[in-house]
Each structure stands twice: as structure tokens, then as C-alpha cells.
Amino acid sequence: MTTFNQPISGNDLARFSGPNTFMRLPQAQSLDGLDVAVLGIPQDIGTSWRSGTRFGPKQIRAESAMIRPYNMDTGAAPFDSLQIADIGDLAINTFSLSESLRIIKESYDAILAQDVVPVAMGGDHSITLPILRAIAHKHGPVALVHVDAHADVNDEMFGERETHGTVFRRAYEEGLIVPDKTYQIGIRGTGYAATDFTEAQGWGFQHFPAKELWNRSLYGMGAEIRRDIGDRPVYVSYDIDSLDPAYAPGTGTPEIGGLTTAQALELIRALRGLNIVGCDLVEVSPPYDPSGNTALTGANLLYELLCVLPGVTVR
Ligand code: MN
Ligand code: MN
């Protein structure tokens, strides 16, 4: 019988002590036997405005020490049926974005070769392009649930084609995602041109602007997306700036009028039943939120993502 890794209980060891791993899970030195690997990608050289996401994984881990193993709202018990560990941070090259993207792609190839589901703590959103390259290499083009204030479909920024704002145009061009099974949720803010969002819609991307979600439950929309995706493999990329800056101020490119924390929970919970093959939570920038609430929210959203992975027991 397999013994599944458990987070250290706050009743056995004070929450302010112990290892700085996600939820104080064991840190795995090898991928052997794992179903899910939580990992940090401490990168912020792909961002265009405020930096600081290099500190994201460290603070998300610190804030995750409060989270208990059972989801009292949904009944999900991820640590009862999946072998989950924190495998540490990827050794990116903080002086070279292109080299870092190569390192991320190769690291993901190794993780996916062992049939381990990767759950990433970013890092700015530029990490998602090499992740999707590896995911598509293994699974073929995937459906994409992309929650973000921004569509991240710029062609280039300062002549650079691989940045946190160009990810999903590259993913579309490279055939990494199924365009009409790509859902961009929470988009808002000002643009460079009136057509900023319409071009991606022409590719087939389905847009759910924040203003259409204000004051609404997201369960219904999430259920529609779930039905539309069916059983094809899906990747979930969660940019913390999809939330309103009132809830998540610690991020690089905040936009007002965003989702609430409750909507973020509803959206993720509605995805249960999908064939999720990987996910990330990006753009947490601790220096812009001394309260730690943004990282706390990010940690909890990552936990909620663990709760909807295939194979999770629901009690
Ligand atoms: Mn983004
Ligand atoms: Mn964003």
C-alpha cells in the first residue's frame, strides 16, 4: 500500500517552523513515484513593468504553511490519493531570458517523461511558453484555461518575441494550444489599439472580459467551459493579476476592476472533472505587497488547483 506524502500538521510542528516547501510537504530529490510535482520558477526578467516575481515561489511557500490538507468547502482530499511533493526551484539563469526558457523546457520534458503532473509557482508569465512547448510535445495541442487581466498576445515588446506579454501569440503560432479551446478569462484594462483583443478572437480564442463577470458567480461559466473542453488534455495558467488589486496588489502589472477571491475559487472549483495535465500560478511579486496577502491568495489558489486534478478523492 502506498503511503502518500502529507503536509506537516500545524498540530505537530508550529506553522512558523519546518521546511519552506509548499504546504510543508516533503522536498523530493527525485521524481520517482510522484503523481504531482510542485515546483518554483523564480523568474522576473520577462516582465515589462514592475519586477519582483523572482521572490514569488519563496513567499508562496511561506504563506502556504497555513493551508490544511482537507478542502472543507468541496470535500477534496488531494493528499489521500495523489503522491505530491515539492521538487524545489528550477535553476534558471537570471542573466539570460532565452537561456532560462530553454532550461524550463528541458526541465519540463524530464518531468513529463515520468508522467508527473507539474504545478508551477511563478515567476512572471514568460515561464508559460516553454512549459506549453513541453506540454504540447507530450500531449499534442492542449485546451487552455488562461485567467488573466491581460490576453498576453502582443507580437513583440522592444523587438523581443518571448516575454510575459507575448506568450499566447507564440503558443498559437507554434500550434501548442487548440485555438477554439482557449479561454481567456478576466481580461480588462486599457489597450494600445481598439483591436488589441479582437485579433486573438479571430484565431478562435474565447474571451470572457472582466466586465461581463462583475457581480456574477463563475460556476456557470466554468461549467460551460468544462463541457466545451470535454476530455481533451487541458493546461491551466493562472495569472494572479486576474484578481482585483484590492485582493492581489503584489503583482507586476495590476489592473483595476478585476475578479474577486470568491470568483477565483468558483472558477477553479468548476474545473473539476477536466483532464488537467499541468498548471501554473504566475506573477506574484512579493515586494509590492508587504502584507503577504497576494502570496497567501496565490498559495490557496494553487491548493485549489491541486484539489481539481484528475484522481483526487472527494469525501
Ligand atoms: Mn499574464
Ligand atoms: Mn496579467
Side-chain angles (χ1 to χ4, degrees):
M1 195 185 132
T2 314
T3 309
F4 294 106
N5 293 338
Q6 298 297 315
I8 295 173
S9 169
N11 293 326
D12 293 335
L13 182 67
R15 296 212 173 272
F16 39 82
S17 57
N20 191 36
T21 56
F22 185 73
M23 291 182 68
R24 304 195 301 172
L25 285 162
Q27 170 140 9
Q29 308 302 327
S30 134
L31 297 165
D32 291 345
L34 294 186
D35 299 308
V36 177
V38 182
L39 69 154
I41 310 181
Q43 174 163 304
D44 63 4
I45 56 175
T47 196
S48 55
W49 175 224
R50 306 156 156 185
S51 59
T53 56
R54 65 180 59 185
F55 299 110
K58 194 166 276 238
Q59 200 189 22
I60 289 169
R61 287 187 176 106
E63 295 296 336
S64 76
M66 254 281 289
I67 305 173
R68 304 166 193 89
Y70 288 93
N71 192 321
M72 302 307 280
D73 285 357
T74 69
F79 307 102
D80 283 9
S81 57
L82 294 179
Q83 186 66 304
I84 309 174
D86 188 328
I87 61 166
D89 288 342
L90 298 190
I92 57 137
N93 178 345
T94 201
F95 301 109
S96 168
L97 181 57
S98 58
E99 178 65 4
S100 293
L101 300 195
R102 187 192 64 74
I103 291 165
I104 296 166
K105 163 72 164 63
E106 286 183 1
S107 304
Y108 266 68
D109 283 340
I111 294 167
L112 295 168
Q114 299 212 39
D115 293 321
V116 177
V117 173
V119 175
M121 303 179 273
D124 70 61
H125 222 154
S126 65
I127 67 171
T128 302
L129 181 60
I131 290 174
L132 286 173
R133 285 172 176 152
I135 290 274
H137 179 73
K138 168 147 178 123
H139 296 283
V142 290
L144 176 73
V145 176
H146 169 211
V147 193
D148 201 325
H150 312 97
D152 294 346
V153 290
N154 292 293
D155 188 16
E156 36 182 59
M157 304 174 88
F158 295 89
E160 297 293 333
R161 292 168 57 80
E162 296 177 332
T163 77
H164 78 150
T166 59
V167 175
F168 300 103
R169 180 182 290 261
R170 294 292 95 79
Y172 162 72
E173 289 171 348
E174 295 178 23
L176 311 178
I177 53 178
V178 182
D180 65 356
K181 303 294 178 195
T182 293
Y183 312 84
Q184 297 193 300
I185 301 156
I187 296 171
R188 61 188 186 272
T190 47
Y192 289 107
T195 53
D196 274 7
F197 298 153
T198 48
E199 191 183 355
Q201 289 167 335
W203 305 335
F205 285 18
Q206 302 192 46
H207 279 177
F208 299 84
K211 70 171 173 5
E212 292 173 16
L213 308 176
W214 287 341
N215 310 309
R216 274 183 52 190
S217 163
L218 298 194
Y219 276 128
M221 184 202 68
E224 256 176 62
I225 290 172
R226 194 178 67 233
R227 280 191 292 274
D228 198 39
I229 291 175
D231 56 9
R232 53 171 55 76
V234 54
Y235 188 82
V236 181
S237 189
Y238 214 109
D239 186 329
I240 198 75
D241 73 25
S242 55
L243 292 173
D244 192 273
Y247 303 100
T251 192
T253 47
E255 306 280 359
I256 66 166
L259 306 184
T260 66
T261 305
Q263 285 179 311
L265 295 175
E266 289 175 332
L267 176 55
I268 293 174
R269 290 171 182 180
L271 302 181
R272 191 169 78 84
L274 284 174
N275 180 20
I276 297 172
V277 295
C279 54
D280 60 51
L281 187 289
V282 298
E283 298 283 356
V284 171
S285 179
Y288 289 94
D289 183 3
S291 78
N293 278 341
T294 307
L296 175 71
T297 301
N300 275 276
L301 296 184
L302 281 160
Y303 168 74
E304 293 284 337
L305 285 163
L306 290 181
C307 288
V308 297
L309 291 181
V312 168
T313 303
V314 177
R315 304 250 170 230

